[in-house]
Amino acid sequence: MSEAKPFSAQLRRRALLADIKGNIVMALISLGLVPWGLYFLLGKCEDCTGWNVGGVIIGLGMEAGSAALAWYMVRGIRERAAPGGDALSEQLRPYGDPRALAGELDADFVGQRLRPKRLFLGKRWLVYCSGEPVVRRVDDLVWAYVEAIKVRLNGVIPLGTNYQLAVWERSGRGAAMGLKKEEAEGALAALGEAAPWMLSGFTEAVKESWNSDREDLLAFVEGRRKKG
Amino acid sequence: MTGFVKENWSNLLLLAFFVLLATQPVTRWAGLYLGACVCLGFLLYRKQDPARGPRRWRAGGRLLQVVGPALGLLVIAQVLWDAPFNVGLAISVFVGLGALGLHHWGGLLSLPDAHEVMKRDPRPPVVFLRSFKEEERQVHSTPVGERDGGEAVTDHSFPASREQEMAQALDRIGPFVAIGRPGEPLATLGAARVYLGDGDWKAFVEAMVPCSAAIVLQPEFTPGTLWEVGLVVKAVDLRRLLLVVPDPAVRPFRYARVRGLVSETFGVSLPEADACGSCEAFYFDRGRRPVALRLSPPSALDPFVAHVNGLGPPRGVS
């Protein structure tokens, strides 16, 4: 079995693949919208003859949507291609120099293979990757909880419940990581051990304090951290 | 001009859509009606000179409240009659929303000024002292902030202020008045507003507070609100005070800070967050003991209203 590449390199590779996949889908949608828009604009829609403004609106909307998607895609590619514009660097930049921090990340997960939709908890870093990577510094975390999201077909027919671990850090930035229920609960417990000062679990009081009285909440968490 | 377009791009897009509707015979009236609603919105919500106070036009507002929805109903009838059913139904929803908007704006335009309210109602007023920041606060159903990854969670929000409920209840004591935020394009529902410049509001509050039947104070830590707290401590009988506090059940940290402030300035001790459960305000009985209240529904304030009405006229009123 070959030796695992540095963790940061694995993350970058996976993010690049996700980017390419996303861009292919976007390009297909954008190209597909052009002929449909023309079809409506040129009045070929038989259903629209009774109320022809509908065809014009739909056609214009489709062409505008196609242009917007193409613009969004090109902008994204240009941003990613710029030096330090890759997804991992973007995640690390709020904490300092991405290059130096990538080294810390490699040290935290030395010899580990990145697997999608798995949470990796090191001494200093929390990493999750399902396409775009999510990287958070454990030291900065203030609040984590498991979120249950009811999935409904067309907003009506219940299909089940998805679970994700949500974490918030002191800068106000959050992240959500889709996991199985047991995995999410286990990850929350593990995080609680790694960062004992952190508030664990969702309550109305923490949510409202986070939204309205964040300074007070952060001071409280900081107090817990100092107490150890 | 570009600033206007940037700020209002979504409304301009909506206006373009309504103009397009107006070009079609069956949706002409709906397009014109909805276009007029958007244009009126631009006119009413354009920036207002802080020195002039919000836009007020009593007769115009009342007229808008009646004529706006009436025209809306006519347009709905026409579009349902002439357009294909599904198109007519979709456009009727827009027109209905436009009619509700016109009715609401009409109500805001015709709101009386605090001076006018006090002239009409000779009873000593109830003065509401709070920070403008707290007035803007929204309660969100989910934690607010940018987050990466995962599924998006639907967020619902509503204004945190209980001012409208308080206005309904406290009207039984006297006219409910407050200082308005400078630069507001339209007046706000709740307490009747008086709009004053930066230099004048303190003089107004100093004059009003001693002769008020009751004071509603929402202590905060902004310099303006701290000054108001100091004034209330000096000039108000504690029994006439309704102290609006952060609910300790949902904002325990802010409640603890406000509790500290109240203890320091008023010399009274509010219950600990754990001991008090869910409450949004306190008044003080004859023994200066705090009595917890909720602010909604308006009937929750009945004990305070009865308590203040039993005290007789305030010190500053002969």
Side-chain angles (χ1 to χ4, degrees), chain A residues 51-53 57 91 134 136 143 145 147 149 162 164 166 168 172-176 202 204-205 207-214 216-217 220, chain B residues 17 20-21 23-24 26-27 84 87 91 137-153 249-254 257:
Chain A
W51 196 64
N52 55 8
V53 75
I57 292 170
Q91 288 287 307
V134 171
R136 291 294 181 269
W143 181 27
Y145 53 91
E147 215 164 47
I149 299 171
N162 288 345
Q164 52 189 18
W168 294 93
R173 223 164 48 128
F202 186 95
E204 203 53 32
K207 184 265 291 175
E208 205 42 44
S209 299
W210 172 263
N211 287 347
S212 300
D213 312 316
R214 196 168 298 173
D216 299 328
L217 180 82
F220 174 74
Chain B
F17 175 62
L20 208 61
L21 282 184
T23 61
Q24 298 303 305
V26 286
T27 53
V87 176
I91 291 174
R137 198 170 67 83
Q138 294 273 321
V139 174
H140 292 266
S141 60
T142 61
V144 174
E146 208 177 293
R147 67 184 205 180
D148 297 331
E151 287 180 49
V153 185
V250 289
R251 296 179 67 194
F253 302 114
R254 184 48 65 113
R257 280 185 70 183

Side-chain angles (χ1 to χ4, degrees), chain A residues 188-227:
Chain A
L188 183 64
L191 256 184
E193 278 172 29
W197 62 84
M198 189 190 71
L199 300 171
S200 185
F202 186 95
T203 64
E204 203 53 32
V206 180
K207 184 265 291 175
E208 205 42 44
S209 299
W210 172 263
N211 287 347
S212 300
D213 312 316
R214 196 168 298 173
E215 277 178 30
D216 299 328
L217 180 82
L218 293 181
F220 174 74
V221 173
E222 198 52 39
R224 277 164 64 114
R225 186 202 302 272
K226 279 183 184 154
K227 271 187 199 165

Side-chain angles (χ1 to χ4, degrees), chain A residues 150-159:
Chain A
K150 294 232 167 11
V151 187
R152 288 171 191 275
L153 183 66
N154 295 327
V156 184
I157 303 160
L159 292 180

Side-chain angles (χ1 to χ4, degrees), chain B residues 86-213:
Chain B
N86 52 351
V87 176
L89 200 65
I91 291 174
S92 298
V93 171
F94 276 99
V95 175
L97 290 174
L100 286 176
L102 291 182
H103 183 78
H104 178 67
W105 290 337
L108 296 183
L109 268 177
S110 57
L111 281 175
D113 175 49
H115 288 302
E116 199 185 322
V117 170
M118 286 191 285
K119 207 183 283 176
R120 259 193 278 152
D121 186 344
R123 293 175 299 168
V126 178
V127 178
F128 183 28
L129 305 173
R130 83 287 179 218
S131 84
F132 295 140
K133 200 175 130 197
E134 190 55 28
E135 191 176 282
E136 275 177 359
R137 198 170 67 83
Q138 294 273 321
V139 174
H140 292 266
S141 60
T142 61
V144 174
E146 208 177 293
R147 67 184 205 180
D148 297 331
E151 287 180 49
V153 185
T154 318
D155 179 48
H156 310 283
S157 67
F158 55 89
S161 170
R162 297 278 194 211
E163 190 182 329
Q164 288 182 46
E165 286 96 330
M166 284 197 287
Q168 270 189 52
L170 300 176
D171 196 45
R172 283 177 286 143
I173 299 175
F176 188 39
V177 298
I179 306 256
R181 186 207 321 264
E184 271 181 337
L186 289 172
T188 317
L189 292 171
R193 300 291 204 266
V194 58
Y195 291 85
L196 300 161
D198 271 352
D200 304 329
W201 71 272
K202 283 187 178 174
F204 176 81
V205 174
E206 267 174 334
M208 291 298 295
V209 159
C211 55
S212 299

